[in-house]
Amino acid sequence: MIAEVTQTEQGYVATFDRKLAHEPEQVWQMLTDNQKIHQWFSGLQLEKPGKDGFLSFDMGNGNFEKMSITNFEEKKQLGFEWGEDHVLFELTPEEGGTQLRMVETLKVFTDHTPKDVAGWHVCLDVLEALLDKKGIERTLEWEHWYPEYKRLFESMRVSFE
């Protein structure tokens, strides 16, 4: 399911909701265990968990971006800076699994924004496939979702900087 994108006074918010057939503990491990993180989002690493902690992102050229953790509640919330933006994962236990919500707060749109949002979409698809022990072709998924997000942003009359 495509993310809901809304405009706010500060920019835009992309909200992804996923109903996962797995307990919050399993989903939390996917978000906080580096071996599991690397399976669904290579280059992202939890360096120091907790409210004073941070993640790092390998920019691919030998440089790493440090991203401060803003929200951390065991098995419930993980939020962190994402460049000038913010990413928040929220886990809510439900009958038969977990409701996973990811909210990305976007201050500025660029021509790269639809690619990033499509990338998060695919990362969540991969995370779910891993939990379900299923295969998924990341590149094909991205090639499907990127045009959808580009159309969505264009329909909102977003001007890219």
Side-chain angles (χ1 to χ4, degrees):
M1 173 183 263
I2 197 162
E4 179 182 346
V5 178
T6 55
Q7 188 171 7
T8 68
E9 289 182 20
Q10 296 79 27
Y12 294 83
V13 175
T15 303
F16 301 85
D17 283 306
R18 302 292 172 94
K19 171 75 169 126
L20 304 175
H22 304 276
E23 295 301 316
E25 293 80 12
Q26 294 170 288
V27 179
W28 184 253
Q29 282 185 342
M30 295 299 289
L31 299 175
T32 58
D33 178 315
N34 284 323
Q35 288 183 340
K36 295 184 186 301
I37 294 169
H38 296 165
Q39 293 174 12
W40 63 272
F41 198 131
S42 65
L44 186 63
Q45 177 138 334
L46 180 63
E47 301 290 350
K48 180 182 173 196
K51 287 194 178 190
D52 296 327
F54 66 96
L55 293 95
S56 66
F57 180 63
D58 184 348
M59 304 296 284
N61 54 6
N63 294 323
F64 291 83
E65 184 172 337
K66 181 178 174 181
M67 301 172 297
S68 297
I69 292 175
T70 58
N71 307 70
F72 192 91
E73 189 174 349
E74 192 82 23
K75 297 178 195 143
K76 292 185 180 181
Q77 267 193 0
L78 173 63
F80 51 91
E81 295 171 353
W82 185 255
E84 293 184 32
D85 300 329
H86 185 264
V87 172
L88 175 66
F89 290 96
E90 297 175 312
L91 284 67
T92 305
E94 288 190 349
E95 177 95 22
T98 303
Q99 178 68 35
L100 174 63
R101 172 171 278 183
M102 188 201 125
V103 179
E104 183 177 16
T105 305
L106 305 156
K107 290 184 181 177
V108 176
F109 269 100
T110 69
D111 60 349
H112 204 269
T113 301
K115 295 175 185 176
D116 289 341
V117 175
W120 278 116
H121 185 116
V122 172
C123 283
L124 293 173
D125 286 350
V126 172
L127 183 150
E128 184 173 8
L130 288 165
L131 283 167
D132 292 343
K133 298 187 182 347
K134 294 181 179 175
I136 189 169
E137 175 47 54
R138 189 182 301 257
T139 302
L140 289 176
E141 287 294 309
W142 190 87
E143 288 171 355
H144 169 77
W145 288 109
Y146 168 62
E148 296 294 322
Y149 282 103
K150 190 167 185 338
R151 272 193 292 279
L152 173 63
F153 292 127
E154 287 170 351
S155 75
M156 296 175 72
R157 296 186 179 10
V158 172
S159 60
F160 301 110
E161 294 183 6

